[in-house]
Amino acid sequence: MSEGIYQFMYEGSRFADLAMDSFMLLTPDTSISSTNNTITFDSQIDHLAKINVCWTDMNNFSPTMVYSYFSEGWDAYVTGISREQLAAGDNFYVTPGFYKPQFSIRNNYVEMREEGDARQFTTGENTVFYGGENITAKVELNKYTYLPGEIMTITPTLKDEYGNRFLSILNSTNNWQQMTVEILDSSNQVVYSRSNTPYNSASVELPQNMLEGIYKLRICSQYPKPIEAETCFTLSRNIGSSGVKLTVGTPGNLYANTLTVQMLNLNTGEKINYRASNLINGEVFIPASEGEYQVYINTPTQDGPKAIYLRDVSVPGEYVFKSSTLNKVNLAVTDELGNVFGN
């Protein structure tokens, strides 16, 4: 290996009487050169941190295997010990330092990790707790006022009794467990619902036909036990300083219900393709960064032909596209003899 400063890690085990001692040993930063190429690990028991892992069953959720991982400044959780090993009297020792525990619980499979910064494990006995009946949940949003069509980023958090966060859950029938996300209006009626939402994060595009008001967002999980969490947000139809609002009419003094929009940023060349349906009075809200755009709108009409608009707009802004500005265009195809195929 090249000369330089390195940190080395050793994973191993040894039998002591009827039990087995497992180790994860780390060196301090070590200089490697042509005159120094010996790596020394301190494996003396009274110099190490002994880790005890205590699991409490969750709502009759009793795993057949629990594996605990610990990392210290590495990209992955690099070593661990199973519940069965600990129950059998095996011991687990690490070089004292700051570690972040993560737990992999198999059949019922769960991944959990401690929240916050890595915690310090010192020389002597150290105990890690996880599991328990008191499972809690909360949900946070990236902001709390939205426009129709905006992307809402949802961060759910499920924790066990000791504050460890659930990362993923596989139940005893080998199905990955996910949450349901619901949006409820002021009458507590569900106006949006989506299942199969991951435990770590999710995003929802808010429907264009949502009315102004205060809504409740709720997450629901059935595993490892039924649990809910909710928060509130405000839906505004006032564009303010964010995005663009287009009101699109169609012939017959009607409003568009479904349309396709293409926006070209005249400064950067960025293209935005957007489809919307179930519009209220032809209003569509499109998230877009500030700038000058050329807008192309394509929407069906009641009598069959499509209405097409082309216009320059500024973002943020509000624009009305009136059907009175449209011209009806008849198209015909002829062959080389002038025969008309259709119009």
Side-chain angles (χ1 to χ4, degrees):
M1 60 193 305
S2 302
E3 293 186 355
I5 305 296
Y6 296 86
Q7 185 181 40
F8 296 87
M9 180 186 68
Y10 166 81
E11 292 183 63
S13 58
R14 71 183 181 192
F15 283 97
D17 297 325
L18 297 178
M20 183 174 68
D21 293 338
S22 297
F23 298 88
M24 184 176 77
L25 306 179
L26 302 170
T27 68
D29 289 346
T30 303
S31 177
I32 297 298
S33 65
S34 58
T35 58
N36 179 28
N37 54 17
T38 300
I39 311 304
T40 302
F41 292 92
D42 185 353
S43 60
Q44 190 169 327
I45 294 295
D46 57 5
H47 293 175
L48 301 177
K50 181 183 178 183
I51 297 179
N52 303 309
V53 180
C54 293
W55 162 266
T56 304
D57 286 348
M58 298 183 295
N59 194 45
N60 297 320
F61 181 93
S62 181
T64 56
M65 178 177 177
V66 177
Y67 209 76
S68 307
Y69 298 85
F70 297 82
S71 72
E72 197 272 8
W74 303 77
D75 291 337
Y77 290 84
V78 290
T79 194
I81 187 168
S82 73
R83 180 190 189 192
E84 290 67 27
Q85 288 175 277
L86 294 170
D90 292 355
N91 301 305
F92 184 42
Y93 298 94
V94 300
T95 301
F98 287 86
Y99 296 84
K100 199 166 184 66
Q102 178 166 321
F103 314 106
S104 176
I105 305 163
R106 299 181 184 277
N107 187 28
N108 309 307
Y109 178 88
V110 175
E111 283 188 326
M112 293 188 293
R113 69 160 177 244
E114 283 195 353
E115 286 284 80
D117 298 330
R119 70 146 110 166
Q120 186 174 19
F121 289 81
T122 58
T123 302
E125 301 275 342
N126 299 262
T127 302
V128 175
F129 297 92
Y130 57 117
E133 294 287 339
N134 186 24
I135 300 171
T136 58
K138 70 174 184 177
V139 59
E140 296 177 299
L141 306 177
N142 58 319
K143 59 179 186 176
Y144 290 88
T145 299
Y146 295 90
L147 295 170
E150 277 199 285
I151 302 297
M152 170 187 285
T153 301
I154 302 167
T155 304
T157 304
L158 271 70
K159 292 185 179 182
D160 71 2
E161 190 167 310
Y162 302 100
N164 303 301
R165 182 175 180 178
F166 291 82
L167 301 180
S168 58
I169 298 178
L170 184 69
N171 70 14
S172 56
T173 57
N174 293 323
N175 292 314
W176 287 106
Q177 297 301 296
Q178 296 182 311
M179 298 181 303
T180 297
V181 173
E182 297 176 334
I183 296 176
L184 298 87
D185 63 16
S186 57
S187 300
N188 233 28
Q189 298 298 308
V190 176
V191 297
Y192 176 92
S193 179
R194 192 181 80 185
S195 57
N196 300 323
T197 303
Y199 275 92
N200 51 1
S201 66
S203 60
V204 171
E205 181 179 324
L206 296 175
Q208 291 285 343
N209 61 351
M210 289 182 68
L211 300 174
E212 286 192 326
I214 297 175
Y215 290 82
K216 184 188 300 181
L217 181 128
R218 181 168 64 195
I219 60 170
C220 309
S221 172
Q222 296 301 315
Y223 209 74
K225 69 185 240 183
I227 193 167
E228 294 181 356
E230 57 188 38
T231 189
C232 292
F233 68 94
T234 299
L235 194 287
S236 172
R237 297 186 72 88
N238 179 9
I239 196 67
S241 59
S242 175
V244 64
K245 175 183 175 181
L246 310 177
T247 303
V248 181
T250 61
N253 295 319
L254 301 175
Y255 289 111
N257 180 62
T258 301
L259 51 75
T260 300
V261 180
Q262 294 178 330
M263 296 178 60
L264 172 65
N265 189 311
L266 299 176
N267 299 317
T268 66
E270 174 194 10
K271 293 181 180 180
I272 299 174
N273 294 306
Y274 197 84
R275 294 178 181 272
S277 59
N278 300 319
L279 306 183
I280 298 177
N281 297 329
E283 296 177 354
V284 58
F285 296 79
I286 302 177
S289 56
E290 186 175 339
E292 303 298 319
Y293 291 81
Q294 186 179 71
V295 173
Y296 168 84
I297 301 174
N298 185 326
T299 180
T301 64
Q302 191 177 48
D303 57 358
K306 294 181 178 179
I308 296 175
Y309 294 93
L310 186 64
R311 181 174 175 179
D312 290 346
V313 302
S314 297
V315 177
E318 298 185 36
Y319 297 88
V320 177
F321 294 79
K322 296 181 178 181
S323 61
S324 60
T325 64
L326 298 173
N327 295 306
K328 186 174 182 179
V329 178
N330 294 316
L331 302 176
V333 178
T334 61
D335 62 15
E336 65 274 11
L337 301 176
N339 298 313
V340 178
F341 285 94
N343 56 25

